Amino acid sequence: MADPQKLIRQVGDALLERGVDTVQPCPRCGGTTQMCAPAPIKIPLSEIPQQYTFGEGAWPDFLHVAILICSRCGYLTQHVLRVLGIPTPEE
């Protein structure tokens, strides 16, 4: 299993490099504390395996995403690891 602290650092660093305000309040409750789920999740793009093309070349039939969760209300946001430049388990 991947190191959860490493994923948290990678996601935080990648968001900051892209100018994302990582302390922006939660859009649901206004809370200012988020936590990162300890491991990425895999979201299927289709029930039928195939390749997709988004911007720069082919993508697999699923996305690995990091989940950020509001510590106050549980609202979550998702960030695609490939877009952030973070290697996925299959890479």
Side-chain angles (χ1 to χ4, degrees):
M1 182 169 164
D3 175 9
Q5 293 304 315
K6 181 179 178 183
L7 176 66
I8 292 166
R9 282 190 307 275
Q10 288 177 312
V11 170
D13 291 348
L15 292 173
L16 287 172
E17 285 173 11
R18 288 159 174 76
V20 175
D21 180 1
T22 58
V23 293
Q24 187 175 33
C26 171
R28 301 293 292 173
C29 73
T32 56
T33 306
Q34 296 182 8
M35 57 186 160
C36 184
I41 64 167
K42 196 173 178 178
I43 298 177
L45 294 176
S46 171
E47 293 180 16
I48 303 168
Q50 56 187 307
Q51 291 283 315
Y52 291 90
T53 302
F54 296 112
E56 299 179 15
W59 285 53
D61 58 340
F62 55 86
L63 299 174
H64 284 96
V65 297
I67 304 294
L68 299 180
I69 306 162
C70 174
S71 298
R72 185 172 173 194
C73 74
Y75 182 82
L76 61 86
T77 57
Q78 304 172 50
H79 296 275
V80 178
L81 296 183
R82 182 173 179 176
V83 172
L84 296 179
I86 299 170
T88 61
E90 279 83 19
E91 293 179 326

